[in-house]
Amino acid sequence: MTDTSHQEQLGELIAENDTGARDPSGLARKIVLSVALAWPLYQLYMASPLPFLTGIGLIDDSQQRAIHLAFALFLGFMTFPAFLRAPRRHIPIYDWVLAVAAAGCALYILVFYREVVDNAGGLRTPAETIASLLGMALVLELTRRVLGLSLVIVAAVFTVYVFTGPLLPELISHRGFSLNRYVDHMWLTTEGVFGLPLGVSNSFIFLFVLFGALLDKGGAGNFFIKLSFSMLGHLRGGPAKAAVVSSGLTGLISGSAIANVVTTGTFTIPLMKRIGFSGEKAGAIEVSSSINGQIMPPVMGAAAFLMTEFVGITYFEVVVHAFVPAIVSYIGLFYIVHLEAVKANMPVLAKVQESTLLQGLGRFLFGFGSLALVSGLVYAVATGLGLVAGEYATPVAAVLMTVLYVWLLKIAARYPELEIDDPNAPLIEIPKLKPTLMAGLHFALPIGVLIWCLMIQRLSPGLAVSWAIVVMVAIMLTQKPLLAHFRKTASGGELRQGFADLIGGMIAGSRNMVGIAVAMGAAGIIVGVVSLTGLGLLMTEIIDAVAGGNVMLMLLFTALMCIVLGMGLPTTANYIVVASVMAQPLVTLAAQNGLVIPLFAVHLFVFYFGLMSGTTPPVAVDSFAGAAVARSDPMKTCVQAFYYSLRTAILPFIFVMNPEMLLIGVESWWSAALIIVSATIAMCVFAAATQGFFLVKNHKLESALLVIIALSLLRPAFWLDRVQPPFVSADPRAIHQVAEKAGDGAQIQMLMTGENFSGDIVTRKVAIPLGQSGAVGEERLLAAAGLEMRLGADGVFVENVAFNSPAQKWGIDFDWQVLELRQPAVRMAKEWFHIPAYATLMMIVFVQLARRRKQTDAAPI
């Protein structure tokens, strides 16, 4: 197979999975491109203040969701063929009919909005019923084309569940619903297809996908790849290390793992194979790196925006909490690559003097330090202007940003343009760091604006990325003319080229978005069934019956469910399905068994195991894409990628049991620094254990000790609990005093008994997180759990349970009795157990150093 045909196959692979494999010609092509261009223009207009200023397009959120889905459905039927043998170069008549019908069903809500709202909850007209049923059928058909049968089957099973509730076993039964109630809930309100997932897609996700597409079209993607190689390519295993870093950087702007695999992998995988990595390992490294790109804030494969709605916290909090495990996971993969290179004694790629690890680290820090410096300048200037210029801060900031941008471009003009290298060339020269960095440093400006707006100004994600898009559009239109002017090579066509890049980026953003929007609509059916039938409450009983009250078994059951559903489901859809069904029941059951798990930790747990679907046999599209690039065995590549991803699989269990790893409950910078450093070392130690190699090849005992050290550093409280129990018994009559004296974030445990909803007498242990101190005990109990207690001569009883409170979700009811009260014990700091862990690690280091010296001395000269 020639390289040209191989590249064409890779392009088709991306098209089939992300942008649509059909590329029509003639009038049909113009229509598709026009609609693909109109979609981002519409989304940008709705995200701007213009509708409020002009009064044009001032519609509510449900109408906006209808238009958003209509665009996705029309483009989807135009660009995704129905079958493998369906035409690719023209659009058959049946797809025209389906595209128009699907868009019409979505727009029915917009056109007949008043009638739809007035009939809410009542008897629906035949037209409304037909539009709803046809619309859902077409959403599922397009889901089949774009994502395969998995999500369609799951949605169909949930739909059958709506109508067969009375026929099912008691544990999962419900009263059943009519067709009228079903279409009302699923299509004509914001509970089903047009529910929360599609709302987030409309409000945030589209703009971030568009921003990523513009960055890539503007040259930032190639810049990230070349910058990574210039920083790390000189090291042993440099291409693989550069693949990890470049995929992480690309993950900042891309929500698609498969596009990340093919885009960066086309360059990195051949170079990895050249220095000694097998095709399977090269493909697996790229797959693991690209999948991990979805856990990197700020985009996180679109899940970050969904978490803000599901969990009810700000986007800033999501990014802060998700940052540490993402970085730790990437460092772990980086270290795995290093160990693979050292084990195989791989050569450096370029014919230059080999850099030391210290020199490589210096290059790495210099490159990222320069990017951080530009972003820091954006932050410092914007913050200072906010204090000095007041209401004129925005125009003044725009002028200063323009000056900084022109200055950076003037510097970039002194260096050669960043061209895309051929990875199959006989010799690849590692690009020099300074020219590479300076040629693309201006790409830090839109990213700096995005981070400043999100993390400092705390603007909404939609508004923040809108400002970043404005900056990126300006760069795309002006960078080529200005660079040509500074280089004195202007030909007059640079502005036209920049405009063409802008149009191409917008169209690419629309086509990338089709699959995401359709997945959100199909997942909305599942979310709607959960809210309609009360399946979430039933899942509490189901999980409890399966796990028998064992929290670890509950987590394992949830992880298995994520992996099974992930065999064919995209990560975001997998997250929506499992989180809507499992997250709250898991938190409730944990509290009923004496363990407080933050809701965000459970959602991130679900999301991480959804990522594993990209490496889980037998259906792992991301791994198969990596195998296609590497021309390696797909199943072997898949298994190797799964093996490399084991470090990601242990993290969710750790941060569920130790939420401090998510910086939840951490009150000082010193504590945060200790957590980050310890978690990073632990992940590298775990990688060394799974690779069977640290400084030299491990003995089995050494690998076992390394695993224990890693887990001890990640969760030192495990050993502390063995030495000093976390709770001590207290008199139940002193419950108010205990609640009042407990510190910030402390929890108490109660063993309670009473009558449940079925009339059975049950005994339950509950854990109550008390939140901030400072209030009297009665108020803390009421605020934390919704409980009011009555102290009587015959014991302590529940006087009242607040509606929709945590206590009500735990199944506690009026007149339940407190049998036992346990309060936090005064204990030593759990960090003391880091000392024996580090001491054991140092012992292993000394032993292996001695063994390595012996091996070196014994080696033949």
Side-chain angles (χ1 to χ4, degrees):
M1 182 187 300
T2 65
D3 290 329
T4 302
S5 62
H6 184 57
Q7 292 297 324
E8 290 176 354
Q9 286 187 3
L10 295 179
E12 291 175 2
L13 183 64
I14 296 180
E16 289 175 2
N17 289 276
D18 276 342
T19 61
R22 181 181 286 145
D23 187 16
S25 58
L27 179 61
R29 177 180 177 82
K30 293 179 181 179
I31 293 175
V32 168
L33 295 181
S34 298
V35 174
L37 181 60
W39 194 4
L41 293 176
Y42 158 77
Q43 297 281 171
L44 288 170
Y45 177 80
M46 297 306 297
S48 72
L50 292 177
F52 298 95
L53 297 176
T54 63
I56 301 174
L58 197 58
I59 55 179
D60 70 14
D61 189 54
S62 61
Q63 294 169 297
Q64 291 181 36
R65 296 177 190 184
I67 298 174
H68 179 79
L69 184 62
F71 271 115
L73 292 173
F74 185 85
L75 278 179
F77 280 109
M78 292 288 99
T79 56
F80 285 87
F83 309 102
L84 289 175
R85 296 183 178 179
R88 299 298 200 263
R89 295 305 172 193
H90 73 274
I91 302 173
I93 188 64
Y94 62 81
D95 273 343
W96 282 104
V97 174
L98 293 178
V100 173
C105 290
L107 294 176
Y108 185 94
I109 297 174
L110 178 71
V111 177
F112 300 99
Y113 179 70
R114 180 49 50 197
E115 292 85 348
V116 169
V117 172
D118 290 343
N119 287 340
L123 184 62
R124 290 299 181 176
T125 65
E128 290 173 336
T129 302
I130 292 171
S132 302
L133 293 175
L134 180 60
M136 282 185 281
L138 291 175
V139 166
L140 293 178
E141 161 57 16
L142 187 55
T143 301
R144 181 195 65 81
R145 296 188 184 192
V146 178
L147 305 172
L149 278 172
S150 300
L151 185 55
V152 177
I153 293 172
V154 173
V157 169
F158 273 71
T159 297
V160 170
Y161 176 71
V162 171
F163 299 106
T164 58
L167 306 176
L168 297 173
E170 183 178 355
L171 187 62
I172 58 174
S173 65
H174 59 85
R175 62 184 177 87
F177 296 89
S178 66
L179 180 63
N180 183 77
R181 184 75 179 92
Y182 175 74
V183 299
D184 177 79
H185 194 83
M186 291 298 169
W187 191 263
L188 300 171
T189 66
T190 55
E191 297 292 334
V193 173
F194 297 98
L196 185 148
L198 194 68
V200 174
S201 175
N202 171 63
S203 302
F204 308 138
I205 297 175
F206 185 96
L207 296 175
F208 274 87
V209 170
L210 176 62
F211 178 59
L214 293 177
L215 270 172
D216 185 60
K217 201 71 175 178
N222 182 47
F223 169 64
F224 287 154
I225 294 174
K226 301 204 75 167
L227 179 64
S228 302
F229 267 86
S230 66
M231 291 189 293
L232 301 166
H234 299 80
L235 299 177
R236 191 177 302 278
K241 293 172 180 175
V244 174
V245 174
S246 61
S247 293
L249 289 172
T250 306
L252 293 173
I253 62 173
S254 171
S256 172
I258 190 170
N260 200 339
V261 168
V262 177
T263 303
T264 59
T266 300
F267 186 69
T268 59
I269 288 176
L271 299 183
M272 282 190 265
K273 291 172 66 177
R274 182 177 302 179
I275 64 170
F277 284 97
S278 66
E280 286 77 18
K281 288 186 176 181
I285 288 170
E286 181 58 52
V287 169
S288 299
S289 304
S290 298
I291 288 175
N292 267 33
Q294 294 192 71
I295 67 176
M296 283 295 293
V299 178
M300 293 175 62
F305 315 114
L306 291 161
M307 288 181 189
T308 62
E309 302 295 329
F310 276 131
V311 185
I313 60 178
T314 65
Y315 182 79
F316 175 81
E317 292 174 294
V318 170
V319 171
V320 169
H321 295 329
F323 177 75
V324 173
I327 292 297
V328 167
S329 183
Y330 254 111
I331 291 174
L333 180 59
F334 189 91
Y335 189 60
I336 286 174
V337 167
H338 174 72
L339 292 177
E340 289 279 18
V342 172
K343 282 194 297 184
N345 195 27
M346 292 180 182
V348 294
L349 180 65
K351 293 182 178 179
V352 295
Q353 181 180 0
E354 181 178 351
S355 300
T356 65
L357 180 61
L358 187 61
Q359 290 171 328
L361 182 62
R363 278 195 202 88
F364 184 79
L365 294 177
F366 174 73
F368 274 104
S370 301
L371 288 172
L373 178 62
V374 173
S375 300
L377 281 174
V378 175
Y379 162 69
V381 170
T383 303
L385 284 175
L387 297 174
V388 176
E391 60 180 322
Y392 300 104
T394 300
V396 175
V399 172
L400 293 178
M401 181 80 69
T402 303
V403 172
L404 177 60
Y405 167 61
V406 173
W407 178 64
L408 289 175
L409 277 186
K410 191 170 183 180
I411 294 175
R414 302 172 190 168
Y415 300 94
E417 188 175 347
L418 296 177
E419 297 182 355
I420 299 176
D421 292 325
D422 179 9
N424 298 299
L427 175 66
I428 293 294
E429 187 70 30
I430 300 298
K432 295 180 180 179
L433 176 58
K434 186 177 179 181
T436 303
L437 179 65
M438 295 305 174
L441 198 54
H442 57 284
F443 290 122
L445 290 176
I447 297 175
V449 168
L450 175 64
I451 294 173
W452 179 75
C453 290
L454 282 174
M455 309 301 291
I456 308 302
Q457 290 295 100
R458 309 285 179 88
L459 300 181
S460 69
L463 184 56
V465 75
S466 295
W467 280 113
I469 289 173
V470 168
V471 175
M472 192 61 219
V473 168
I475 289 175
M476 293 183 73
L477 290 175
T478 60
Q479 64 175 340
K480 289 185 177 179
L482 287 174
L483 285 171
H485 170 73
F486 289 133
R487 290 170 177 159
K488 303 188 186 312
T489 59
S491 62
E494 290 81 12
L495 182 61
R496 187 165 54 253
Q497 293 176 16
F499 187 76
D501 287 342
L502 175 61
I503 299 299
M506 287 189 169
I507 292 172
S510 292
R511 296 191 66 159
N512 289 339
M513 191 62 205
V514 169
I516 298 175
V518 171
M520 295 298 180
I525 295 176
I526 297 157
V527 176
V529 171
V530 172
S531 62
L532 179 64
T533 62
L535 182 60
L537 297 176
L538 293 175
M539 282 303 298
T540 303
E541 299 180 22
I542 296 170
I543 299 172
D544 194 28
V546 171
N550 187 300
V551 176
M552 186 55 67
L553 284 179
M554 296 178 198
L555 293 173
L556 288 171
F557 178 67
T558 305
L560 181 63
M561 184 174 176
C562 291
I563 291 175
V564 171
L565 282 175
M567 294 180 186
L569 280 188
T571 304
T572 307
N574 187 354
Y575 163 70
I576 293 171
V577 173
V578 182
S580 61
V581 176
M582 300 284 288
Q584 189 58 58
L586 193 58
V587 172
T588 300
L589 283 171
Q592 290 177 358
N593 289 277
L595 179 65
V596 174
I597 301 178
L599 182 59
F600 177 79
V602 174
H603 277 264
L604 202 62
F605 179 95
V606 168
F607 179 59
Y608 267 55
F609 273 100
L611 287 173
M612 296 296 289
S613 65
T615 63
T616 306
V619 181
V621 178
D622 302 329
S623 294
F624 295 163
V629 179
R631 305 185 189 186
S632 60
D633 183 273
M635 289 308 298
K636 289 182 179 178
T637 304
C638 185
V639 171
Q640 188 68 51
F642 185 82
Y643 180 64
Y644 285 152
S645 298
L646 284 177
R647 80 207 182 284
T648 305
I650 70 162
L651 281 175
F653 288 100
I654 298 300
F655 60 60
V656 162
M657 296 297 182
N658 180 22
E660 286 185 347
M661 192 174 177
L662 302 177
L663 303 182
I664 294 175
V666 177
E667 298 178 355
S668 68
W669 285 103
W670 290 108
S671 297
L674 179 62
I675 291 167
I676 294 171
V677 171
S678 298
T680 302
I681 294 174
M683 189 52 58
C684 292
V685 169
F686 183 81
T690 57
Q691 289 295 303
F693 191 97
F694 189 23
L695 303 177
V696 292
K697 185 177 180 181
N698 298 336
H699 295 318
K700 291 182 179 179
L701 178 60
E702 289 172 336
S703 291
L705 286 174
L706 289 174
V707 171
I708 294 173
I709 291 168
L711 297 180
S712 299
L713 292 176
L714 289 169
R715 191 170 182 262
F718 174 82
W719 300 112
L720 180 59
D721 291 346
R722 308 282 85 77
V723 176
Q724 293 180 322
F727 295 93
V728 294
S729 296
D731 184 359
R733 295 176 181 275
I735 183 170
H736 292 147
Q737 292 87 336
V738 168
E740 185 172 337
K741 293 178 181 178
D744 288 344
Q747 59 173 284
I748 59 174
Q749 292 184 349
M750 294 189 293
L751 184 65
M752 308 180 73
T753 185
E755 191 176 288
N756 66 8
F757 297 118
S758 302
D760 301 323
I761 301 298
V762 297
T763 301
R764 183 165 292 160
K765 182 171 70 173
V766 297
I768 302 176
L770 294 173
Q772 295 294 318
S773 60
V776 297
E778 292 92 330
E779 293 177 357
R780 291 190 77 180
L781 280 174
L782 183 61
L787 282 174
E788 294 181 34
M789 311 302 294
R790 179 181 79 251
L791 278 61
D794 51 348
V796 179
F797 298 87
V798 175
E799 178 68 18
N800 188 38
V801 178
F803 175 72
N804 203 31
S805 64
Q808 188 184 61
K809 294 177 182 178
W810 300 336
I812 298 174
D813 206 348
F814 171 75
D815 216 29
W816 275 42
Q817 183 178 4
V818 180
L819 300 178
E820 182 182 341
L821 173 66
R822 305 180 73 198
Q823 63 180 340
V826 178
R827 304 195 295 172
M828 62 188 291
K830 62 181 180 295
E831 286 75 18
W832 284 108
F833 287 91
H834 284 171
I835 295 176
Y838 283 123
T840 307
L841 179 61
M842 292 307 298
M843 180 188 70
I844 294 174
V845 169
F846 288 136
V847 169
Q848 291 206 356
L849 280 173
R851 195 156 73 243
R852 188 169 70 178
R853 281 194 296 270
K854 288 182 180 180
Q855 292 174 358
T856 303
D857 294 340
I861 300 176

